[in-house]
Amino acid sequence: MAEHGKGPLAGIRVADFSWVWAGPFCTLQLAHLGAEVIRVESMRRVCVTRMLPPWAEDRREPNTAGYFNQYNQGKRSILLDLAKPEGAELAKRLVAISDVVVENFSAGVMERLGLGYEELKKVKPDIIMISMSGYGQTGPLRDYISYGPAQVPMAGFSTLTGYRHWDRPMHLGLSYGDPNAGLHAAFAILVALWHRYHTGEGQYIDMSQWESTIALVGDALLGQQMNGRQPPRLGNRDPIISPHGFFRCKPAEPGTLPEGLLPEDRWISIACRTNEEWQALCQVMGRPELARDPRFATLEARKANEDLLERIVEEWTITQDPWEATRKLQEAGVAAFPPLCNKELAEDPHLNARGYFVEKEHPVVGVRKHGGIPWRMSDTPCEVWRAAPVMGQDNDYVFRHLLGLSQEEIERLRQAQVIY
């Protein structure tokens, strides 16, 4: 049981063999919900996210990587060489006292290590195991290696994202398949735990990250299937809503924006879903006559004259401070907000008032601000109980306290480089 013992998953232990982003993002949700997550790491193959920026004070070390430290809050870490027979046996002993096993290697890797589901359920018959491979455990692509950036175009996003009239692929800007797969996997594990609670049965979950990403473009798939054509790229526009997009605002005074932004980098997003919201926008802009103009009076008319409509809206926004315009529009019932850079997010008064950000003492980098838990539960409150672990931080806790190894055994395994 985790030291903090809070949250709806308090008392659940997760043996986390995952790495990079998708798997750790899954187990982050479980840690947030109160599970004791034990990351099984290796010096032979250090997690990719421990080697990516940003680094604290630009110290390029595995324990200073902000990327890793964000997505592994509230977890434990042990260092174990699974390629050695004694390492695999120790992993099985950990599984025997765990409830869930998570891995996101390519198909077949865990089996080759002697840690496939059929082997693990021999030591823990009701274990719940999820494999989050790129393409699933079956099918002609099962042995292919996959990372999130490749899943974006494979799921069709790169033909849907981009400016109007573009004829080339466009990336989303992040490996969207990874966190999306992590959330799908966490939900699947919760369902499996619920099933085990009622039946006593564990199960194996074969999850394809590719398929979970494709699930997000259902409307585009239906557009092709039902209408026989590829949905067009719309830039910031919406297929139905108008106006819908980003509009340039009044330039800032020099030196008042975060470093890297130019004075003209000030925008506001505006979306009018109904005629009433469009009429409210017209009032705020001081152009009430536009609401009666036949070119804009209905949604269909606004879509037909969208180029002109956007020019008119921007004639107003270019004279406005984005935050002041947001206040006026929101008070009038119009959805509007400025796009935020990272610094603005970190300092946002609303997020800070809700306690979204977490500041925990890390053994190497000290106190840092990290994104926390985006939900609140009244009866089972959740918390980030500690910062992300340094490599092998919990060796003593796991090997001595949980597995009962003597100090002599641990020292022998260290000498043999089974544990580090």
Side-chain angles (χ1 to χ4, degrees):
M1 191 174 198
E3 289 176 358
H4 57 294
K6 293 184 178 180
L9 293 187
I12 296 295
R13 180 174 292 127
V14 179
D16 181 7
F17 296 88
S18 69
W19 73 324
V20 195
W21 193 7
F25 197 71
C26 163
T27 55
L28 176 67
Q29 314 313 312
L30 305 180
H32 282 346
L33 289 165
E36 180 180 63
V37 177
I38 300 174
R39 279 208 60 166
V40 181
E41 299 195 77
S42 171
M43 291 296 292
R44 183 189 294 265
R45 199 176 189 186
V46 177
C47 184
V48 171
T49 56
R50 284 193 180 276
M51 311 304 292
L52 294 177
W55 289 280
E57 283 85 42
D58 203 30
R59 291 153 50 196
R60 305 189 178 202
E61 307 164 7
N63 292 318
T64 63
Y67 198 142
F68 180 93
N69 291 344
Q70 169 62 43
Y71 297 117
N72 292 278
Q73 298 172 88
K75 302 179 189 179
R76 298 186 183 276
S77 169
I78 61 174
L79 281 172
L80 186 62
D81 190 343
L82 298 176
K84 294 179 177 176
E86 284 187 293
E89 284 304 312
L90 284 172
K92 287 182 181 179
R93 290 177 62 177
L94 176 61
V95 170
I97 58 171
S98 298
D99 302 279
V100 177
V101 171
V102 179
E103 63 96 1
N104 64 328
F105 300 116
S106 297
V109 170
M110 291 293 279
E111 284 75 12
R112 290 192 291 274
L113 292 169
L115 299 172
Y117 176 66
E118 294 302 320
E119 285 297 314
L120 295 184
K121 73 176 183 179
K122 292 176 184 177
V123 300
K124 178 73 170 177
D126 65 347
I127 195 70
I128 294 165
M129 180 176 183
I130 186 167
S131 294
M132 302 170 57
S133 63
Y135 308 105
Q137 302 296 306
T138 61
L141 301 184
R142 69 180 294 273
D143 295 322
Y144 277 31
I145 296 171
S146 174
Y147 286 98
Q151 290 167 14
V152 169
M154 290 186 69
F157 281 102
S158 295
T159 60
L160 297 169
T161 303
Y163 296 108
R164 288 176 292 139
H165 314 305
W166 270 24
D167 59 357
R168 52 181 163 168
M170 177 71 177
H171 202 273
L172 288 181
L174 79 164
S175 304
Y176 202 77
D178 283 301
N180 172 69
L183 292 175
H184 275 76
F187 179 79
I189 290 168
L190 293 178
V191 175
L193 285 168
W194 181 255
H195 174 79
R196 192 184 70 171
Y197 176 78
H198 287 283
T199 67
E201 300 171 349
Q203 61 182 293
Y204 178 66
I205 305 167
D206 171 14
M207 177 182 161
S208 161
Q209 293 185 37
W210 186 18
E211 291 168 25
S212 70
T213 307
I214 292 172
L216 299 177
V217 293
D219 55 336
L221 288 175
L222 288 173
Q224 178 67 47
Q225 193 173 49
M226 299 177 71
N227 300 320
R229 62 177 180 269
Q230 166 75 18
R233 287 187 168 105
L234 296 175
N236 290 320
R237 290 181 178 178
D238 182 83
I240 300 172
I241 298 172
S242 182
H244 182 286
F246 286 95
F247 301 88
R248 192 177 292 279
C249 290
K250 183 179 179 181
E253 294 296 323
T256 60
L257 290 181
E259 183 179 355
L261 295 182
L262 300 175
E264 59 268 27
D265 285 333
R266 299 227 292 178
W267 303 80
I268 187 172
S269 63
I270 299 175
C272 291
R273 184 175 56 87
T274 65
N275 288 332
E276 290 73 22
E277 290 173 3
W278 163 243
Q279 292 162 10
L281 173 59
C282 294
Q283 290 291 335
V284 173
M285 293 193 301
R287 299 287 303 278
E289 73 283 359
L290 292 175
R292 301 184 297 274
D293 190 314
R295 297 172 298 176
F296 311 121
T298 66
L299 179 57
E300 293 76 11
R302 291 194 294 278
K303 291 299 291 184
N305 296 281
E306 201 157 16
D307 287 340
L308 176 60
L309 174 68
E310 290 178 345
R311 289 197 297 271
I312 291 173
V313 172
E314 194 158 276
E315 286 175 0
W316 175 72
T317 61
I318 198 66
T319 68
Q320 302 292 310
D321 173 87
W323 288 104
E324 180 60 21
T326 293
R327 183 190 64 76
K328 291 187 287 190
L329 290 172
Q330 289 283 355
E331 287 177 353
V334 177
F337 212 82
L340 303 180
C341 70
N342 291 346
K343 183 175 187 295
E344 291 168 324
L345 274 174
E347 297 174 352
D348 183 79
H350 178 83
L351 293 174
N352 281 281
R354 282 179 54 81
Y356 171 66
F357 294 108
V358 177
E359 296 182 81
K360 297 289 183 180
E361 181 79 32
H362 185 274
V364 174
V365 302
V367 176
R368 301 284 168 167
K369 178 178 283 191
H370 292 280
I373 302 173
W375 61 77
R376 307 288 184 275
M377 294 186 177
S378 59
D379 292 339
T380 52
C382 304
E383 70 172 10
V384 177
W385 71 287
R386 74 169 184 180
V390 300
M391 295 184 73
Q393 180 175 334
D394 300 285
N395 277 1
D396 189 68
Y397 168 79
V398 172
F399 295 127
R400 293 193 64 184
H401 176 69
L402 294 184
L403 300 186
L405 273 64
S406 67
Q407 188 60 46
E408 292 74 18
E409 287 177 291
I410 292 174
E411 188 57 37
R412 181 184 65 79
L413 291 168
R414 282 203 182 102
Q415 291 294 326
Q417 294 189 328
V418 174
I419 64 177
Y420 298 88

